[in-house]
């Protein structure tokens, strides 16, 4: 058993925050002493670890409480995501350290900003949040994809690829052109038909991810040619204004 003070020192979570988690029913201690002091066991610490993961993903406390209380809550999956997220952040920090060391040793010869790029972290966090968030869009996607065969999924996936291929064919034109804007509408309608209702707000977020520099960007550029992801993102931004 650990006292609230020991848990605070171990995790970096303030005593006041732990007391608040207890008050709202998010994280109860394993027991209380006769004097009313909180004591935490390994199970409580494991729950706190999951809470901290979802706080990293910027979930509201009320949503975290609902998620970790679900009968089907997959602790192993949550831990796997936490490891991945921490690994990405570790790589990001190491890149910043290497950049700072290089500047100290050699001075600023050429400004490089790649080390400040957090697109991979942001992209993974968005995917993890979608997994746990059970947003209306995610629920709609589950409904529409339920019962599909692998062949049907491949056909739908290929349809998306074909649209990005069309973007690639006109990527050297203006993203505000009639053809580019028509393709954005086609993409929006395709997502709505086969996945979930693609509002302009959702579409705008997708556009930012497409050009975020992670796997989305690489995959889209492999379908349509280098620069397709950025072109698609710009066309979406204009469409959503």
């Amino acid at each position: 058993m650990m006292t609230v003070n020991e848990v605070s020192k171990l995790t970096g979570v303030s005593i006041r925050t732990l007391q608040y988690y207890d008050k709202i029913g998010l994280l109860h201690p394993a027991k209380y002493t006769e004097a009313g002091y909180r004591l935490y066991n390994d199970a409580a610490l494991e729950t706190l670890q999951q809470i901290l993961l979802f706080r990293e993903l910027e979930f509201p406390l009320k949503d975290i409480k609902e998620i970790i209380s679900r009968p089907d809550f997959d602790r192993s999956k949550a831990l796997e995501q936490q490891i991945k997220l921490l690994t990405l952040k570790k790589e990001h920090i190491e890149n910043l350290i290497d950049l700072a060391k290089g500047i100290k040793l050699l001075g600023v010869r050429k400004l490089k900003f790649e080390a400040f790029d957090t697109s991979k972290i942001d992209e993974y966090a968005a995917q993890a949040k979608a997994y746990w968030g059970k947003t209306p869009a995610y629920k709609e996607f589950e409904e529409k994809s339920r019962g599909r065969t692998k062949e049907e999924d491949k056909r739908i996936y290929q349809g998306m690829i074909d649209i990005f291929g069309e973007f690639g064919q006109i990527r050297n034109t203006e993203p505000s052109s009639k053809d580019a804007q028509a393709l954005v509408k086609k993409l929006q309608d395709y997502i709505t038909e086969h996945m979930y209702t693609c509002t302009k707000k959702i579409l705008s977020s997708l556009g930012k991810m497409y050009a975020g520099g992670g796997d989305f960007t690489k995959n889209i550029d492999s379908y349509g040619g280098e620069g397709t992801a950025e072109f698609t993102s710009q066309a979406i931004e204009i469409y959503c204004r």
Side-chain angles (χ1 to χ4, degrees):
M1 291 283 187
M2 298 181 68
T3 66
V4 68
N5 187 52
E6 289 171 333
V7 172
S8 178
K9 289 180 178 178
L10 175 67
T11 63
V13 179
S14 71
I15 293 175
R16 180 174 293 182
T17 297
L18 290 169
Q19 292 171 338
Y20 180 68
Y21 286 173
D22 184 14
K23 180 180 179 181
I24 64 174
L26 179 61
L27 175 66
H28 293 303
K31 62 184 295 186
Y32 299 89
T33 66
E34 290 184 2
Y37 294 109
R38 295 170 174 82
L39 295 176
Y40 297 82
N41 59 9
D42 289 345
L45 291 176
E46 183 180 352
T47 300
L48 178 57
Q49 183 182 56
Q50 307 307 332
I51 293 170
L52 295 179
L53 164 64
F54 291 115
R55 290 301 288 159
E56 287 288 331
L57 297 174
E58 300 180 356
F59 273 88
L61 293 178
K62 63 181 182 64
D63 290 349
I64 297 174
K65 182 179 178 180
E66 191 272 327
I67 290 170
I68 64 177
S69 299
R70 291 175 189 164
D72 61 345
F73 175 59
D74 189 341
R75 293 180 180 273
S76 177
K77 178 66 176 180
L79 184 59
E80 175 188 320
Q81 290 177 332
Q82 185 178 42
I83 292 170
K84 176 66 174 179
L85 194 61
L86 291 173
T87 299
L88 290 172
K89 290 187 175 183
K90 174 175 175 285
E91 292 174 356
H92 177 62
I93 291 172
E94 288 175 345
N95 289 336
L96 289 174
I97 291 172
D98 289 342
L99 175 64
K101 285 181 177 178
I103 292 174
K104 182 179 180 181
L105 181 64
L106 303 173
V108 181
R109 300 280 181 86
K110 181 181 179 182
L111 291 176
K112 294 183 178 180
F113 293 93
E114 291 88 349
F116 297 96
D117 183 14
T118 62
S119 59
K120 287 185 178 180
I121 297 173
D122 296 340
E123 182 178 321
Y124 186 79
Q127 293 171 357
K129 191 169 184 178
Y131 178 88
W132 294 108
K134 301 296 183 183
T135 60
Y138 188 85
K139 291 177 181 177
E140 187 179 355
F141 174 76
E142 285 186 322
E143 285 293 325
K144 287 189 175 182
S145 61
R146 185 176 292 121
R148 280 181 187 160
T149 65
K150 289 184 178 180
E151 289 70 24
E152 288 173 328
D153 282 334
K154 287 181 181 179
R155 177 180 58 78
I156 291 171
Y157 182 64
Q158 184 61 50
M160 286 281 286
I161 292 176
D162 291 342
I163 294 174
F164 288 125
E166 291 182 64
F167 274 111
Q169 292 173 10
I170 62 170
R171 68 185 185 280
N172 294 320
T173 65
E174 289 296 324
S176 60
S177 70
K178 184 178 179 180
D179 289 342
Q181 292 302 295
L183 273 181
V184 175
K185 181 65 166 59
K186 181 178 180 179
L187 176 64
Q188 182 184 34
D189 291 344
Y190 191 87
I191 294 172
T192 296
E193 180 182 356
H194 298 287
M195 300 173 189
Y196 46 78
T197 302
C198 187
T199 63
K200 283 192 174 183
K201 183 177 180 180
I202 292 175
L203 185 62
S204 177
S205 297
L206 289 173
K208 290 181 175 65
M209 282 199 295
Y210 291 160
D215 290 338
F216 280 118
T217 304
K218 292 178 182 177
N219 290 335
I220 292 172
D221 282 355
S222 71
Y223 305 145
E226 187 175 353
T228 300
E230 179 62 34
F231 176 80
T232 303
S233 178
Q234 291 176 8
I236 288 174
E237 182 181 358
I238 293 169
Y239 178 86
C240 291
R241 285 176 184 167

